[in-house]
Amino acid sequence: RQMPQSPVAPAPEAMAGKSAQDGVATAGQAPSLVRYIQIPGLMIFPRLAAFGIAMALLNGNERFESMANNISSEDFDAAEPRPGSPQLAAAIFSFVATWLNFFPMVYKNQIMNAFKFAVPGSSNLPSNMQIYKIDDPDPEARHPHVILEEDGVIGKYNRANRSLFHFNEHVAPFVLNVVMASQTFPVETLYIVIIYMVGRILHQVLYAVGGFGPHALGFMVAYISNCTLELMNLLTFIAFREGW
């Protein structure tokens, strides 16, 4: 599928009387501050919910409290790795992986808003991971950008595969969090893994069938599940040093 060239969304007053072909601003326009604030919001608020869940799972867990208090009261040689370091490493890796996945949204929103103007009625443009151009040796030639087909069975197929790629983007920190958290919370980790998998299935099915938007439910279920494991690992690191 092709669309007019549209790198950046125009201001509303610039759209008046213009077509989708020429009603777009130049590519040099900077993203607004709101788009930069959006990422910290996605990084912080789900983790606040996850922190509450993690605290609920840890408090009153006699096995964990006993383990944490015993470890924190022991003396360790300066050259000996202290327990909890692997859990902290997993939490840091998970946090940074989330940032790396969210940062392109600064530019994604900027581009997609313009393309929505260029292709009225399209709601699945954000499913495109890349925007392609037609290679032409003529520097003066202008061609439409190329995006994925979003209609019919082909569109569902593309979105189902987009969900699979999304899983691949997020699965590495999740697996690492599972490995580390299961060492101290085996049963709780099992429950969270099940909830995470339900979220991933919802994400793919709702994305394929419902298009861009409904899939957010599955994303938040899976995302908060991973954040919960991440916070459990971080709290384990703290508890192993300070006691619980």
Side-chain angles (χ1 to χ4, degrees):
R1 184 173 178 178
Q2 299 179 346
M3 65 170 67
Q5 291 186 345
S6 44
V8 181
E13 59 271 16
M15 294 183 186
K18 293 192 175 184
S19 67
Q21 177 67 38
D22 57 16
V24 287
T26 61
Q29 182 176 334
S32 68
L33 179 61
V34 174
R35 294 184 179 119
Y36 286 110
I37 296 175
Q38 180 184 21
I39 298 176
L42 287 171
M43 297 286 292
I44 294 172
F45 291 113
R47 282 177 170 79
L48 292 178
F51 178 78
I53 297 172
M55 289 297 294
L57 293 174
L58 269 62
N59 283 329
N61 189 319
E62 295 180 358
R63 175 179 174 276
F64 172 71
E65 291 178 0
S66 176
M67 181 189 306
N69 291 330
N70 289 336
I71 291 176
S72 63
S73 62
E74 293 182 12
D75 293 326
F76 291 89
D77 187 270
E80 182 181 358
R82 290 182 60 92
S85 296
Q87 283 79 3
L88 176 62
I92 294 173
F93 182 89
S94 178
F95 185 86
V96 174
T98 302
W99 171 269
L100 295 176
N101 276 288
F102 283 160
F103 182 72
M105 291 176 61
V106 171
Y107 309 104
K108 177 179 180 178
N109 293 340
Q110 189 182 14
I111 294 170
M112 294 307 168
N113 287 338
F115 284 164
K116 285 179 181 179
F117 168 67
V119 187
S122 177
S123 60
N124 292 304
L125 288 170
S127 302
N128 290 268
M129 295 178 63
Q130 289 89 25
I131 305 297
Y132 298 95
K133 70 174 184 178
I134 298 175
D135 189 19
D136 193 319
D138 181 5
E140 301 299 324
R142 290 181 58 85
H143 298 284
H145 289 90
V146 180
I147 60 172
L148 295 174
E149 174 62 70
E150 64 181 61
D151 297 326
V153 176
I154 297 177
K156 293 178 181 178
Y157 170 76
N158 286 335
R159 290 190 297 276
N161 274 302
R162 173 65 188 102
S163 179
L164 177 59
F165 274 93
H166 189 274
F167 174 72
N168 293 338
E169 294 164 5
H170 291 265
V171 70
F174 177 72
V175 170
L176 188 58
N177 279 325
V178 167
V179 172
M180 293 296 104
S182 62
Q183 296 180 18
T184 47
F185 306 99
V187 176
E188 293 83 354
T189 300
L190 171 62
Y191 294 151
I192 293 173
V193 168
I194 293 173
I195 295 172
Y196 178 89
M197 292 306 170
V198 170
R200 292 309 322 184
I201 293 172
L202 284 173
H203 184 276
Q204 187 172 54
V205 172
L206 293 176
Y207 212 162
V209 177
F212 186 85
H215 74 301
L217 171 63
F219 168 74
M220 289 308 300
V221 171
Y223 180 40
I224 292 178
S225 297
N226 180 64
C227 289
T228 300
L229 291 176
E230 177 187 305
L231 269 296
M232 288 167 62
N233 283 326
L234 178 61
L235 291 172
T236 297
F237 167 78
I238 295 173
F240 280 3
R241 277 157 172 70
E242 306 297 334
W244 192 257

Coordinates of all heavy atoms in Angstrom, one line a residue, residues 65-151:
E65 N 10.7 -13.7 53.9 CA 11.2 -12.9 55.0 C 12.3 -13.6 55.7 O 13.3 -13.0 56.1 CB 10.0 -12.6 55.9 CG 9.0 -11.6 55.3 CD 7.8 -11.4 56.3 OE1 7.8 -12.0 57.4 OE2 6.9 -10.6 55.9
S66 N 12.1 -14.9 56.0 CA 13.1 -15.6 56.7 C 14.4 -15.7 55.8 O 15.5 -15.5 56.4 CB 12.6 -17.1 56.9 OG 13.7 -17.9 57.5
M67 N 14.3 -15.9 54.5 CA 15.5 -16.0 53.7 C 16.2 -14.6 53.6 O 17.4 -14.5 53.8 CB 15.1 -16.3 52.2 CG 16.2 -16.4 51.3 SD 15.6 -16.6 49.6 CE 14.6 -18.1 49.7
A68 N 15.4 -13.5 53.5 CA 16.0 -12.2 53.4 C 16.7 -11.8 54.7 O 17.8 -11.2 54.7 CB 14.9 -11.2 53.0
N69 N 16.0 -12.0 55.8 CA 16.6 -11.7 57.1 C 17.9 -12.5 57.4 O 18.8 -11.9 58.0 CB 15.6 -11.8 58.2 CG 14.5 -10.8 58.1 OD1 14.7 -9.7 57.6 ND2 13.3 -11.2 58.5
N70 N 17.9 -13.7 57.1 CA 19.1 -14.6 57.3 C 20.2 -14.1 56.4 O 21.4 -14.0 56.9 CB 18.8 -16.0 57.0 CG 17.8 -16.6 58.1 OD1 17.8 -16.2 59.2 ND2 17.1 -17.7 57.7
I71 N 20.0 -13.8 55.2 CA 21.0 -13.4 54.3 C 21.6 -12.0 54.7 O 22.8 -11.8 54.7 CB 20.5 -13.4 52.8 CG1 20.3 -14.8 52.3 CG2 21.5 -12.7 51.9 CD1 19.7 -15.0 51.0
S72 N 20.7 -11.1 55.0 CA 21.1 -9.8 55.3 C 21.9 -9.7 56.6 O 22.7 -8.8 56.8 CB 19.9 -8.8 55.4 OG 19.1 -9.2 56.5
S73 N 21.8 -10.7 57.5 CA 22.5 -10.7 58.8 C 23.8 -11.4 58.7 O 24.6 -11.3 59.6 CB 21.6 -11.4 59.8 OG 21.4 -12.7 59.5
E74 N 24.1 -12.1 57.5 CA 25.4 -12.8 57.4 C 26.5 -11.8 57.0 O 26.2 -10.8 56.4 CB 25.2 -13.9 56.3 CG 24.3 -15.0 56.7 CD 24.2 -16.1 55.7 OE1 25.0 -16.1 54.7 OE2 23.3 -16.9 55.8
D75 N 27.7 -12.2 57.3 CA 28.9 -11.5 56.9 C 29.4 -12.1 55.6 O 29.6 -13.3 55.5 CB 29.9 -11.5 58.0 CG 29.5 -10.7 59.2 OD1 28.7 -9.7 59.1 OD2 29.8 -11.2 60.4
F76 N 29.7 -11.2 54.6 CA 30.3 -11.7 53.4 C 31.6 -11.1 53.1 O 31.9 -9.9 53.5 CB 29.3 -11.3 52.2 CG 28.0 -12.1 52.2 CD1 26.9 -11.6 52.9 CD2 27.9 -13.3 51.6 CE1 25.7 -12.2 52.9 CE2 26.7 -14.0 51.6 CZ 25.6 -13.4 52.3
D77 N 32.5 -11.9 52.6 CA 33.8 -11.5 52.2 C 33.7 -10.4 51.1 O 32.8 -10.4 50.3 CB 34.7 -12.6 51.7 CG 36.1 -12.2 51.4 OD1 36.4 -11.7 50.3 OD2 36.9 -12.3 52.4
A78 N 34.6 -9.4 51.2 CA 34.5 -8.3 50.2 C 34.6 -8.7 48.8 O 34.0 -8.1 47.9 CB 35.6 -7.3 50.5
A79 N 35.3 -9.8 48.5 CA 35.4 -10.3 47.2 C 34.3 -11.3 46.8 O 34.3 -11.7 45.6 CB 36.8 -11.0 47.0
E80 N 33.5 -11.6 47.7 CA 32.4 -12.6 47.4 C 31.2 -11.9 46.9 O 30.7 -10.9 47.6 CB 32.1 -13.4 48.7 CG 31.0 -14.5 48.5 CD 30.7 -15.2 49.8 OE1 31.4 -14.9 50.8 OE2 29.8 -16.1 49.7
P81 N 30.6 -12.3 45.8 CA 29.3 -11.7 45.3 C 28.2 -11.8 46.3 O 28.0 -12.9 46.8 CB 29.0 -12.4 44.0 CG 30.3 -13.0 43.6 CD 31.1 -13.3 44.9
R82 N 27.6 -10.8 46.7 CA 26.4 -10.8 47.6 C 25.2 -11.3 46.9 O 24.9 -11.0 45.8 CB 26.2 -9.5 48.3 CG 27.3 -9.0 49.2 CD 26.9 -7.7 49.8 NE 25.7 -7.8 50.6 CZ 25.6 -8.1 51.9 NH1 26.7 -8.3 52.6 NH2 24.5 -8.1 52.5
P83 N 24.4 -12.1 47.6 CA 23.1 -12.5 47.0 C 22.2 -11.3 46.7 O 22.2 -10.3 47.4 CB 22.5 -13.3 48.2 CG 23.6 -13.8 49.0 CD 24.6 -12.7 48.9
G84 N 21.5 -11.4 45.6 CA 20.6 -10.3 45.2 C 21.2 -9.6 44.0 O 20.4 -8.9 43.3
S85 N 22.4 -9.7 43.7 CA 23.0 -9.0 42.6 C 22.4 -9.4 41.3 O 22.1 -8.6 40.4 CB 24.5 -9.1 42.6 OG 25.1 -8.5 43.7
P86 N 22.2 -10.7 41.0 CA 21.6 -11.1 39.8 C 20.2 -10.6 39.6 O 19.8 -10.2 38.5 CB 21.6 -12.7 39.9 CG 22.7 -13.0 40.8 CD 22.7 -11.9 41.8
Q87 N 19.4 -10.5 40.7 CA 18.1 -9.9 40.6 C 18.1 -8.4 40.3 O 17.3 -8.0 39.5 CB 17.4 -10.1 42.0 CG 16.9 -11.5 42.2 CD 17.9 -12.5 42.7 OE1 19.1 -12.1 42.9 NE2 17.6 -13.7 42.9
L88 N 19.1 -7.7 40.8 CA 19.2 -6.3 40.5 C 19.6 -6.2 39.0 O 19.1 -5.3 38.3 CB 20.3 -5.6 41.3 CG 20.6 -4.2 41.0 CD1 19.4 -3.3 41.2 CD2 21.8 -3.7 41.9
A89 N 20.5 -7.0 38.5 CA 20.9 -7.0 37.1 C 19.7 -7.2 36.2 O 19.5 -6.5 35.2 CB 22.0 -8.0 36.8
A90 N 18.9 -8.1 36.6 CA 17.7 -8.4 35.8 C 16.7 -7.2 35.8 O 16.1 -6.9 34.7 CB 16.9 -9.6 36.3
A91 N 16.5 -6.6 36.9 CA 15.7 -5.4 37.0 C 16.2 -4.3 36.1 O 15.4 -3.6 35.4 CB 15.5 -5.0 38.4
I92 N 17.5 -4.0 36.2 CA 18.1 -2.9 35.4 C 17.9 -3.2 33.9 O 17.5 -2.4 33.1 CB 19.6 -2.8 35.7 CG1 19.7 -2.2 37.2 CG2 20.2 -1.8 34.8 CD1 21.1 -2.2 37.7
F93 N 18.2 -4.5 33.5 CA 18.1 -4.9 32.1 C 16.7 -4.7 31.6 O 16.4 -4.2 30.5 CB 18.5 -6.3 31.9 CG 18.5 -6.8 30.5 CD1 19.6 -6.7 29.7 CD2 17.3 -7.4 30.0 CE1 19.5 -7.2 28.4 CE2 17.3 -7.9 28.7 CZ 18.4 -7.7 27.9
S94 N 15.7 -5.1 32.5 CA 14.3 -5.0 32.1 C 13.9 -3.5 31.9 O 13.2 -3.2 31.0 CB 13.4 -5.6 33.2 OG 12.1 -5.5 32.9
F95 N 14.3 -2.7 32.8 CA 14.0 -1.2 32.7 C 14.5 -0.6 31.5 O 13.8 0.1 30.8 CB 14.5 -0.5 34.0 CG 14.1 0.9 34.1 CD1 12.8 1.3 34.6 CD2 14.9 1.9 33.6 CE1 12.4 2.6 34.7 CE2 14.5 3.3 33.6 CZ 13.3 3.6 34.2
V96 N 15.8 -0.9 31.2 CA 16.4 -0.3 30.0 C 15.8 -0.9 28.7 O 15.6 -0.1 27.7 CB 17.9 -0.6 30.0 CG1 18.6 -0.1 28.7 CG2 18.6 0.2 31.2
A97 N 15.4 -2.1 28.7 CA 14.8 -2.7 27.5 C 13.4 -2.0 27.3 O 13.0 -1.8 26.1 CB 14.6 -4.2 27.7
T98 N 12.7 -1.7 28.3 CA 11.5 -1.0 28.2 C 11.7 0.4 27.5 O 11.0 0.8 26.6 CB 10.8 -0.8 29.5 OG1 10.6 -2.1 30.1 CG2 9.4 -0.1 29.4
W99 N 12.7 1.1 28.0 CA 13.0 2.4 27.4 C 13.3 2.3 26.0 O 12.9 3.1 25.1 CB 14.2 3.0 28.2 CG 14.7 4.3 27.5 CD1 15.6 4.4 26.6 CD2 14.1 5.6 27.7 NE1 15.8 5.7 26.1 CE2 14.9 6.5 26.8 CE3 13.1 6.2 28.5 CZ2 14.6 7.8 26.7 CZ3 12.9 7.5 28.4 CH2 13.6 8.3 27.5
L100 N 14.1 1.3 25.6 CA 14.5 1.1 24.2 C 13.3 0.9 23.3 O 13.3 1.3 22.1 CB 15.5 0.0 24.1 CG 16.9 0.2 24.7 CD1 17.8 -1.0 24.6 CD2 17.6 1.4 24.2
N101 N 12.3 0.2 23.8 CA 11.1 -0.1 23.1 C 10.2 1.1 23.0 O 9.5 1.2 22.0 CB 10.4 -1.3 23.7 CG 10.9 -2.6 23.3 OD1 10.7 -3.1 22.1 ND2 11.6 -3.3 24.1
F102 N 10.2 1.9 24.0 CA 9.3 3.1 24.0 C 9.9 4.3 23.3 O 9.1 5.1 22.8 CB 8.9 3.5 25.4 CG 7.9 2.5 26.1 CD1 7.8 2.5 27.4 CD2 7.1 1.7 25.3 CE1 6.9 1.6 28.0 CE2 6.2 0.9 25.8 CZ 6.0 0.8 27.2
F103 N 11.2 4.5 23.3 CA 11.7 5.7 22.8 C 11.3 6.0 21.3 O 11.1 7.2 21.0 CB 13.3 5.7 22.9 CG 13.9 7.0 22.4 CD1 13.8 8.2 23.1 CD2 14.6 7.0 21.2 CE1 14.4 9.3 22.7 CE2 15.2 8.2 20.7 CZ 15.1 9.4 21.5
P104 N 11.3 5.1 20.4 CA 10.8 5.4 19.0 C 9.5 6.0 18.9 O 9.1 6.6 17.9 CB 10.9 4.0 18.3 CG 11.9 3.2 19.1 CD 11.7 3.6 20.5
M105 N 8.7 5.9 20.0 CA 7.3 6.5 20.0 C 7.4 8.0 19.8 O 6.4 8.6 19.4 CB 6.5 6.1 21.3 CG 6.2 4.6 21.3 SD 5.4 4.2 22.9 CE 3.9 5.3 22.8
V106 N 8.5 8.6 20.3 CA 8.6 10.1 20.1 C 8.4 10.4 18.6 O 7.7 11.4 18.3 CB 10.0 10.5 20.6 CG1 10.2 12.0 20.3 CG2 10.1 10.3 22.1
Y107 N 9.0 9.7 17.8 CA 9.0 10.0 16.3 C 7.8 9.2 15.7 O 7.3 9.7 14.7 CB 10.3 9.5 15.7 CG 11.5 10.1 16.4 CD1 12.3 9.3 17.3 CD2 11.8 11.5 16.3 CE1 13.3 9.9 18.0 CE2 12.9 12.0 17.0 CZ 13.6 11.2 17.8 OH 14.7 11.8 18.5
K108 N 7.4 8.1 16.2 CA 6.3 7.3 15.7 C 5.0 8.2 15.7 O 4.3 8.3 14.7 CB 6.1 6.1 16.4 CG 4.9 5.2 16.0 CD 4.8 4.0 16.8 CE 3.6 3.1 16.3 NZ 3.5 1.9 17.1
N109 N 4.7 8.8 16.8 CA 3.5 9.6 16.9 C 3.6 10.8 15.9 O 2.6 11.2 15.3 CB 3.3 10.1 18.3 CG 3.0 9.0 19.3 OD1 2.6 7.9 18.9 ND2 3.3 9.2 20.6
Q110 N 4.7 11.4 15.8 CA 4.9 12.5 14.9 C 4.6 12.1 13.5 O 3.9 12.8 12.8 CB 6.3 13.0 15.1 CG 6.6 14.3 14.4 CD 8.1 14.8 14.5 OE1 8.9 13.9 14.9 NE2 8.4 16.0 14.2
I111 N 5.1 11.0 13.1 CA 4.9 10.5 11.7 C 3.5 10.0 11.5 O 2.9 10.4 10.5 CB 5.9 9.4 11.4 CG1 7.3 9.9 11.4 CG2 5.6 8.7 10.1 CD1 8.4 8.8 11.3
M112 N 3.0 9.2 12.4 CA 1.6 8.7 12.2 C 0.5 9.7 12.2 O -0.4 9.5 11.4 CB 1.3 7.6 13.3 CG 2.3 6.4 13.3 SD 2.3 5.6 11.7 CE 3.7 4.5 11.8
N113 N 0.7 10.8 12.9 CA -0.3 11.8 12.8 C -0.4 12.4 11.5 O -1.5 12.8 10.9 CB 0.0 12.9 13.9 CG -0.3 12.5 15.3 OD1 -1.1 11.6 15.5 ND2 0.3 13.1 16.3
A114 N 0.8 12.6 10.8 CA 0.8 13.1 9.5 C 0.2 12.1 8.5 O -0.6 12.5 7.6 CB 2.2 13.4 9.1
F115 N 0.5 10.8 8.6 CA 0.0 9.8 7.7 C -1.5 9.6 7.9 O -2.2 9.3 6.9 CB 0.7 8.5 7.9 CG 2.1 8.5 7.3 CD1 3.0 7.5 7.7 CD2 2.5 9.5 6.4 CE1 4.3 7.5 7.2 CE2 3.8 9.5 5.9 CZ 4.7 8.5 6.2
K116 N -2.0 9.8 9.1 CA -3.5 9.8 9.3 C -4.2 10.9 8.5 O -5.3 10.7 8.0 CB -3.8 9.8 10.8 CG -3.5 8.6 11.5 CD -3.9 8.7 13.0 CE -3.5 7.4 13.7 NZ -3.8 7.5 15.2
F117 N -3.5 12.0 8.4 CA -4.1 13.1 7.6 C -4.0 12.7 6.1 O -4.9 13.0 5.3 CB -3.3 14.4 7.8 CG -3.6 15.5 6.8 CD1 -4.9 16.0 6.8 CD2 -2.6 15.9 6.0 CE1 -5.1 17.1 5.9 CE2 -2.9 16.9 5.1 CZ -4.1 17.5 5.0
A118 N -2.9 12.1 5.7 CA -2.6 11.7 4.3 C -3.5 10.6 3.8 O -3.9 10.5 2.7 CB -1.2 11.4 4.1
V119 N -3.9 9.7 4.8 CA -4.8 8.6 4.5 C -6.0 8.6 5.4 O -6.0 7.9 6.4 CB -4.0 7.2 4.6 CG1 -4.9 6.1 4.1 CG2 -2.7 7.3 3.9
P120 N -7.0 9.4 5.1 CA -8.1 9.6 6.0 C -8.8 8.2 6.2 O -8.9 7.4 5.3 CB -9.0 10.6 5.2 CG -8.1 11.3 4.3 CD -7.1 10.3 3.9
G121 N -9.3 8.0 7.4 CA -10.0 6.8 7.8 C -9.2 5.6 8.2 O -9.7 4.6 8.6
S122 N -7.9 5.8 8.1 CA -7.0 4.7 8.5 C -6.7 4.7 10.0 O -6.3 5.8 10.5 CB -5.7 4.7 7.7 OG -4.8 3.7 8.1
S123 N -6.9 3.6 10.6 CA -6.7 3.6 12.1 C -5.5 2.6 12.4 O -5.2 2.4 13.6 CB -7.9 3.1 12.8 OG -8.4 1.8 12.4
N124 N -5.0 1.9 11.5 CA -4.0 0.9 11.7 C -2.6 1.3 11.3 O -1.7 0.4 11.3 CB -4.4 -0.4 11.1 CG -5.6 -1.1 11.7 OD1 -5.6 -1.3 12.9 ND2 -6.6 -1.3 10.9
L125 N -2.4 2.5 11.0 CA -1.1 3.0 10.5 C 0.0 2.7 11.6 O 1.2 2.4 11.2 CB -1.1 4.5 10.2 CG -1.8 4.8 8.9 CD1 -2.0 6.3 8.8 CD2 -1.1 4.3 7.7
P126 N -0.3 2.9 12.9 CA 0.8 2.6 13.9 C 1.3 1.2 13.9 O 2.3 0.9 14.5 CB 0.1 3.0 15.2 CG -0.9 3.9 14.9 CD -1.5 3.5 13.5
S127 N 0.6 0.3 13.2 CA 1.1 -1.1 13.1 C 2.4 -1.2 12.3 O 3.0 -2.3 12.4 CB 0.0 -2.0 12.5 OG -1.2 -1.9 13.3
N128 N 2.7 -0.2 11.5 CA 3.9 -0.3 10.7 C 5.1 0.0 11.5 O 5.3 1.1 12.1 CB 3.7 0.8 9.5 CG 2.7 0.4 8.5 OD1 3.0 -0.2 7.5 ND2 1.4 0.8 8.8
M129 N 6.0 -0.9 11.5 CA 7.3 -0.8 12.2 C 8.3 0.1 11.4 O 9.2 0.7 11.9 CB 7.9 -2.1 12.5 CG 7.1 -3.0 13.4 SD 7.9 -4.6 13.7 CE 9.4 -4.1 14.4
Q130 N 8.1 0.1 10.1 CA 9.0 0.9 9.2 C 8.1 1.6 8.1 O 7.0 1.1 7.8 CB 10.0 0.0 8.5 CG 11.2 -0.5 9.4 CD 10.9 -1.8 10.0 OE1 10.1 -2.6 9.4 NE2 11.5 -2.1 11.1
I131 N 8.5 2.7 7.7 CA 7.9 3.4 6.5 C 8.9 3.4 5.4 O 10.0 3.8 5.5 CB 7.5 4.8 6.9 CG1 6.7 4.9 8.1 CG2 6.9 5.5 5.7 CD1 5.3 4.2 8.0
Y132 N 8.5 2.8 4.3 CA 9.5 2.6 3.1 C 9.2 3.7 2.1 O 8.2 4.3 2.0 CB 9.2 1.2 2.5 CG 9.5 0.1 3.4 CD1 8.5 -0.5 4.1 CD2 10.8 -0.4 3.6 CE1 8.7 -1.6 5.0 CE2 11.0 -1.5 4.5 CZ 10.0 -2.0 5.2 OH 10.2 -3.1 6.0
K133 N 10.3 3.9 1.3 CA 10.2 4.8 0.1 C 10.6 4.0 -1.1 O 11.3 3.0 -1.0 CB 11.1 6.0 0.3 CG 12.6 5.8 0.3 CD 13.3 7.1 0.3 CE 14.8 6.8 0.1 NZ 15.6 8.1 0.1
I134 N 10.2 4.5 -2.2 CA 10.6 3.9 -3.5 C 11.9 4.5 -4.0 O 12.0 5.7 -4.0 CB 9.5 4.1 -4.6 CG1 8.2 3.4 -4.1 CG2 9.9 3.6 -5.9 CD1 7.0 3.7 -5.0
D135 N 12.8 3.6 -4.3 CA 14.2 4.1 -4.7 C 14.1 4.5 -6.2 O 13.6 3.8 -7.0 CB 15.2 2.9 -4.5 CG 16.6 3.4 -4.7 OD1 16.8 4.6 -4.6 OD2 17.5 2.6 -5.0
D136 N 14.5 5.7 -6.4 CA 14.5 6.2 -7.8 C 15.8 7.0 -8.0 O 16.1 7.9 -7.2 CB 13.3 7.1 -7.9 CG 13.0 7.5 -9.4 OD1 14.0 7.8 -10.1 OD2 11.9 7.5 -9.8
P137 N 16.6 6.8 -9.0 CA 17.8 7.5 -9.2 C 17.6 9.0 -9.6 O 18.5 9.8 -9.5 CB 18.4 6.8 -10.4 CG 17.3 6.1 -11.1 CD 16.4 5.7 -10.0
D138 N 16.3 9.3 -10.0 CA 16.0 10.7 -10.3 C 15.8 11.5 -9.0 O 14.8 11.2 -8.3 CB 14.8 10.8 -11.2 CG 14.4 12.2 -11.5 OD1 15.2 13.1 -11.2 OD2 13.4 12.4 -12.2
P139 N 16.7 12.4 -8.6 CA 16.5 13.1 -7.3 C 15.3 14.0 -7.3 O 14.8 14.4 -6.2 CB 17.8 14.0 -7.2 CG 18.3 14.1 -8.7 CD 17.9 12.9 -9.4
E140 N 14.7 14.3 -8.4 CA 13.5 15.2 -8.5 C 12.2 14.4 -8.4 O 11.2 15.0 -8.3 CB 13.6 16.0 -9.8 CG 14.8 16.9 -9.9 CD 14.9 17.9 -8.8 OE1 13.8 18.4 -8.4 OE2 16.0 18.2 -8.4
A141 N 12.3 13.1 -8.6 CA 11.1 12.3 -8.6 C 10.5 12.2 -7.2 O 11.2 12.2 -6.2 CB 11.5 10.9 -9.1
R142 N 9.2 12.3 -7.2 CA 8.4 12.1 -5.9 C 7.5 10.9 -6.0 O 6.7 10.8 -6.9 CB 7.6 13.4 -5.7 CG 8.5 14.6 -5.3 CD 7.6 15.8 -5.1 NE 6.6 15.6 -4.0 CZ 6.9 15.8 -2.7 NH1 8.1 16.2 -2.3 NH2 6.0 15.6 -1.8
H143 N 7.6 10.1 -5.0 CA 6.8 8.9 -5.0 C 6.2 8.8 -3.6 O 6.7 9.3 -2.6 CB 7.7 7.6 -5.2 CG 8.4 7.6 -6.5 ND1 7.7 7.3 -7.7 CD2 9.7 7.8 -6.8 CE1 8.6 7.3 -8.7 NE2 9.8 7.6 -8.2
P144 N 5.0 8.1 -3.5 CA 4.4 7.9 -2.2 C 5.2 6.9 -1.3 O 5.9 6.1 -1.9 CB 3.0 7.2 -2.6 CG 3.3 6.6 -3.9 CD 4.3 7.5 -4.6
H145 N 5.1 7.1 0.0 CA 5.7 6.1 0.9 C 4.9 4.8 0.8 O 3.7 4.8 0.4 CB 5.6 6.7 2.3 CG 6.6 7.8 2.5 ND1 6.2 9.1 2.3 CD2 7.9 7.8 2.9 CE1 7.3 9.9 2.6 NE2 8.3 9.1 3.0
V146 N 5.5 3.7 1.2 CA 4.9 2.4 1.2 C 4.7 1.9 2.6 O 5.7 1.9 3.4 CB 5.8 1.4 0.4 CG1 5.2 0.1 0.3 CG2 6.1 2.0 -1.0
I147 N 3.5 1.4 2.9 CA 3.2 0.8 4.2 C 2.5 -0.5 4.0 O 2.3 -1.0 2.9 CB 2.2 1.8 4.9 CG1 0.9 1.9 4.2 CG2 2.9 3.1 5.3 CD1 -0.2 2.7 5.0
L148 N 2.3 -1.2 5.1 CA 1.6 -2.5 5.0 C 0.2 -2.4 4.6 O -0.5 -1.4 5.0 CB 1.7 -3.2 6.4 CG 3.2 -3.6 6.9 CD1 3.1 -4.1 8.3 CD2 3.8 -4.6 6.0
E149 N -0.3 -3.5 4.0 CA -1.8 -3.6 3.7 C -2.5 -3.8 5.1 O -2.0 -4.5 5.9 CB -2.0 -4.8 2.8 CG -3.5 -5.1 2.6 CD -4.2 -4.0 1.9 OE1 -4.0 -3.8 0.7 OE2 -5.1 -3.3 2.6
E150 N -3.6 -3.1 5.3 CA -4.3 -3.2 6.6 C -5.7 -3.7 6.5 O -6.4 -3.8 7.5 CB -4.3 -1.8 7.3 CG -5.0 -0.7 6.5 CD -5.0 0.6 7.3 OE1 -3.9 1.1 7.5 OE2 -6.1 1.1 7.7
D151 N -6.2 -3.9 5.3 CA -7.5 -4.3 5.1 C -7.6 -5.9 4.9 O -6.7 -6.5 4.4 CB -8.2 -3.6 3.8 CG -8.2 -2.1 4.0 OD1 -8.5 -1.7 5.2 OD2 -8.0 -1.4 3.0

